[in-house]
Amino acid sequence: MELAYYSDYAVRLVNTEEPVRGKDTLTSVEAVRDLFGANQSAARRAADADVTRFRSVRARLRSVFEAADGGDETLAVDLLNSLLLEFPVSPQISGHDFRDDDGRPLWHMHLADHPSNATAGYAAIAAMGLAFHLTEYGVDRLGLCEASPCRNAYLDTSTNRSRRYCSDRCATRANVAAYRARKRLEADRPESTGRAEDSAQPTTASGERRPEPRGR
């Protein structure tokens, strides 16, 4: 569904913070405006107060991803529904900026917000886009990156529901870490076996190994 495109708004906002790493890029009006991308008319509405408001919406959107990633479908839907009720939008048919070969508008669905501030407009689009994605693909398509300590949000659109990482970079890093862990385990096994064999030999009271009895 075309309106699922707006779900990227939710991902962009959630990923402005990396809680495990203690990083947060949402610290200024400029950072808020950057989230709007090409929608510069909406970005111009941003003011200083929107930084705090955006952070509040970000926390609520992350909670949706956390619930979905944890397998709690009902909680994920309930949290998202609360955002939809608080930040409503109106679907409209639009043809701006898109023309066919004959110069006629390429009509498509567009989400029109009616915000009292920049945060309300962004939250409305992000929540509606995420709702369309959830109902189109399933709650289990909302995930958090498994490459510790990343935990960035992502939307799984793979054909076999196999996505586990937010980016190729994180997937590569996780694979390298797993490979190194396997190698360490393989290297430790001979040493462990040798120590077990040594401990099986009888010892004296001082801890020295007793000599093997000679045959008669």
Side-chain angles (χ1 to χ4, degrees), residues 38-142:
N39 192 353
Q40 292 303 306
S41 59
R44 283 192 289 270
R45 293 197 298 260
D48 289 336
D50 285 300
V51 176
T52 301
R53 288 193 288 252
F54 260 70
R55 286 179 172 179
S56 176
V57 172
R58 178 181 65 187
R60 294 171 67 182
L61 286 170
R62 176 170 281 277
S63 294
V64 175
F65 279 92
E66 288 174 344
D69 189 67
D72 195 335
E73 293 190 26
T74 301
L75 178 58
V77 170
D78 287 345
L79 292 170
L80 190 51
N81 272 336
S82 69
L83 285 164
L84 291 169
L85 288 171
E86 186 174 346
F87 303 106
V89 295
S90 301
Q92 293 182 351
I93 300 173
S94 175
H96 63 82
D97 299 332
F98 297 98
R99 302 282 173 173
D100 61 18
D101 294 337
D102 297 325
R104 299 176 61 188
L106 293 175
W107 301 112
H108 59 280
M109 291 301 298
H110 174 74
L111 293 182
D113 55 59
H114 307 286
S116 56
N117 53 65
T119 303
Y122 193 98
I125 292 174
M128 183 61 77
L130 199 57
F132 274 110
H133 190 96
L134 184 152
T135 53
E136 180 76 3
Y137 299 106
V139 178
D140 57 342
R141 294 305 189 103
L142 278 60

Side-chain angles (χ1 to χ4, degrees), residues 181-199:
R182 287 195 301 271
K183 286 299 182 182
R184 284 194 298 270
L185 183 61
E186 292 170 1
D188 288 343
R189 279 173 183 165
E191 296 179 10
S192 300
T193 303
R195 285 194 295 269
E197 291 175 350
D198 288 345
S199 64

